[in-house]
């Protein structure tokens, strides 16, 4: 087995409720593995002190505060110390001992094995035809693609310079060729990983460890999500998030781990309901702002 040394969770103000749920789900099966929050304040500042104190979570140190859509997830790649890690988006929960299953692979990267319609690859990842016509005529079609919301990576095998022609390292980050690449980290990371793999400088394994959508989420029983869970998977709500948790697919699983999160806090139930009320007020405030902006365009 090849050890995974730590877990990173990309966190922002908008998804903070889901971040808490994600942390609680990881800790259900891995109470001691180091968890680091990758804190992006593009959508506003927020406190993570509660998670740090009560759930043994650390902050990944950054001098910058604004990274943009997913780009903070690239930063651990550039660490000079070499180690393997599991990267997660906040809208993810563990269903069991996922890390044990991923440690069976000794490759630099372990990514979700997916089958993507060729027509959707340019939108979700990159447009190989436009890239060939523009700056890389030797590029072939994507041999595979992967969602960057969850993957095992290895620091030190890919450098920031590998993205120099692809990413503007501003605050927030931006892709340099938005007509060719998805505007998040997903397109450029897929491109660089595939290029490095074809050059033989990194190794990649693919395995179906992410569950997505109603059909794939439906088999799991909340009663089985204990220490003996038979499900070595994650659920990812990519593109499926709702303003209200109760309207999301498998809200019962989300509520299960949210209850676990607040169980560690003094007056946990009171804090939970107070926070829900604050979130509701903030949602209505943002909605009123959008309605006013539409009624009185500048």
């Amino acid at each position: 087995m090849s050890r995974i040394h730590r877990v990173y969770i990309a966190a922002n103000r908008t998804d903070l409720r889901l971040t808490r749920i994600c942390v609680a789900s990881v800790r259900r099966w891995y109470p001691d593995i180091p968890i680091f929050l990758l804190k992006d304040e593009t959508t506003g500042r927020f406190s993570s002190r509660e998670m740090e104190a009560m759930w043994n979570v650390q902050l990944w140190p950054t001098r910058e505060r604004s990274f943009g859509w997913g780009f903070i997830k690239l930063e651990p790649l550039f660490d000079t110390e070499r180690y393997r890690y599991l990267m997660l988006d906040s809208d993810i929960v563990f269903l069991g001992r996922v890390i044990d299953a991923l440690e069976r692979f000794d490759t630099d990267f372990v990514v979700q094995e997916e089958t993507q319609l060729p027509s959707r690859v340019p939108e979700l990842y990159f447009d190989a035809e436009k890239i060939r016509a523009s700056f890389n005529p030797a590029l072939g079609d994507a041999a595979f693609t992967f969602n960057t919301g969850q993957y095992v990576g290895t620091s030190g095998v890919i450098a920031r310079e590998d993205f120099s022609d692809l990413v503007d390292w501003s605050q927030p980050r931006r892709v340099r060729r938005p007509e060719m690449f998805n505007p998040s980290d997903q397109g450029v990371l897929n491109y660089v990983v595939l290029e490095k793999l074809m050059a033989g400088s990194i190794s990649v394994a693919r395995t179906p460890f992410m569950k997505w959508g109603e059909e794939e989420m439906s088999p799991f029983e909340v009663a089985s999500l204990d220490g003996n869970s038979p499900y070595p998977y994650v659920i990812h709500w990519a593109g499926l998030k709702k303003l209200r948790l109760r309207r999301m697919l498998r809200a019962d699983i989300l509520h299960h781990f949210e209850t676990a999160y607040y169980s560690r806090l003094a007056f946990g139930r009171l804090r939970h309901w107070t926070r829900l009320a604050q979130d509701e007020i903030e949602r209505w405030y943002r909605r009123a702002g959008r309605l006013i902006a539409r009624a009185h365009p500048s």
Side-chain angles (χ1 to χ4, degrees):
M1 292 176 64
S2 188
R3 186 183 170 201
I4 292 171
H5 298 91
R6 56 179 66 179
V7 174
Y8 290 112
I9 301 175
N12 61 72
R13 181 179 177 180
T14 305
D15 285 342
L16 189 55
R17 185 178 182 185
L18 293 172
T19 306
R20 298 183 189 110
I21 293 169
C22 180
V23 166
S25 77
V26 175
R27 283 283 179 247
R28 172 65 55 85
W29 291 281
Y30 299 97
D32 300 317
I33 193 167
I35 296 177
F36 290 84
L37 290 189
L38 300 175
K39 199 170 181 178
D40 182 3
E41 296 186 335
T42 302
T43 57
R45 302 187 71 174
F46 61 95
S47 174
S48 56
R49 291 177 184 173
E50 181 183 271
M51 275 184 280
E52 295 171 58
M54 303 305 298
W55 285 91
N56 188 22
V57 170
Q58 304 173 64
L59 292 186
W60 175 253
T62 61
R63 286 182 294 180
E64 297 168 297
R65 293 185 178 274
S66 179
F67 292 84
W69 188 7
F71 284 100
I72 196 170
K73 293 184 291 184
L74 298 180
E75 296 300 312
L77 284 170
F78 312 140
D79 199 323
T80 54
E81 180 186 356
R82 184 163 300 195
Y83 50 81
R84 297 174 88 231
Y85 58 84
L86 176 61
M87 180 65 67
L88 300 173
D89 280 346
S90 281
D91 56 341
I92 281 175
V93 299
F94 276 28
L95 295 174
R97 299 196 65 84
V98 185
I99 293 175
D100 291 33
L102 295 173
E103 285 183 334
R104 294 185 294 110
F105 302 93
D106 61 0
T107 49
D108 297 316
F109 287 81
V110 185
V111 303
Q112 168 68 9
E113 183 176 9
E114 66 176 28
T115 302
Q116 198 60 254
L117 291 173
S119 60
R120 298 213 64 199
V121 171
E123 170 196 357
L124 296 174
Y125 301 98
F126 57 82
D127 191 322
E129 186 175 343
K130 288 183 179 179
I131 292 172
R132 282 193 291 268
S134 177
F135 69 94
N136 186 356
L139 178 69
D141 289 331
F144 61 86
T145 56
F146 63 97
N147 181 289
T148 59
Q150 62 288 296
Y151 63 88
V152 175
T154 301
S155 58
V157 299
I158 290 178
R160 192 180 298 274
E161 291 71 28
D162 294 317
F163 296 87
S164 59
D165 295 330
L166 307 174
V167 175
D168 181 354
W169 301 104
S170 56
Q171 293 193 60
R173 314 312 196 204
R174 293 181 177 86
V175 295
R176 290 186 179 275
R177 297 177 171 90
E179 73 281 5
M180 301 179 198
F181 291 91
N182 178 282
S184 72
D185 67 301
Q186 184 160 273
V188 292
L189 182 57
N190 267 257
Y191 177 81
V192 169
V193 165
L194 286 168
E195 287 284 274
K196 291 281 188 180
L197 179 63
M198 294 301 102
S201 58
I202 65 170
S203 56
V204 180
R206 301 169 67 218
T207 186
F209 69 101
M210 177 192 85
K211 301 301 178 181
W212 180 90
E214 186 172 6
E215 183 178 351
E216 292 188 355
M217 292 183 190
S218 61
F220 306 114
E221 298 178 2
V222 171
S224 297
L225 301 180
D226 57 18
N228 298 313
S229 168
Y231 312 128
Y233 307 112
V234 303
I235 286 180
H236 190 178
W237 281 266
L240 301 174
K241 288 183 289 187
K242 304 289 185 183
L243 282 175
R244 290 174 173 80
L245 204 72
R246 65 177 179 269
R247 295 184 179 177
M248 290 173 64
L249 290 171
R250 294 312 308 264
D252 57 331
I253 293 176
L254 292 165
H255 285 300
H256 173 74
F257 286 112
E258 187 168 56
T259 299
Y261 178 88
Y262 283 101
S263 69
R264 286 198 183 183
L265 277 59
F267 305 104
R269 187 175 293 275
L270 177 60
R271 289 198 191 191
H272 183 199
W273 290 110
T274 301
R275 200 162 268 158
L276 290 182
Q278 292 171 338
D279 290 346
E280 189 69 17
I281 291 169
E282 186 172 336
R283 274 194 291 270
W284 279 104
Y285 182 81
R286 290 199 303 266
R287 185 180 180 187
R290 288 194 296 268
L291 290 173
I292 292 169
R294 289 173 188 169
H296 303 281
S298 57

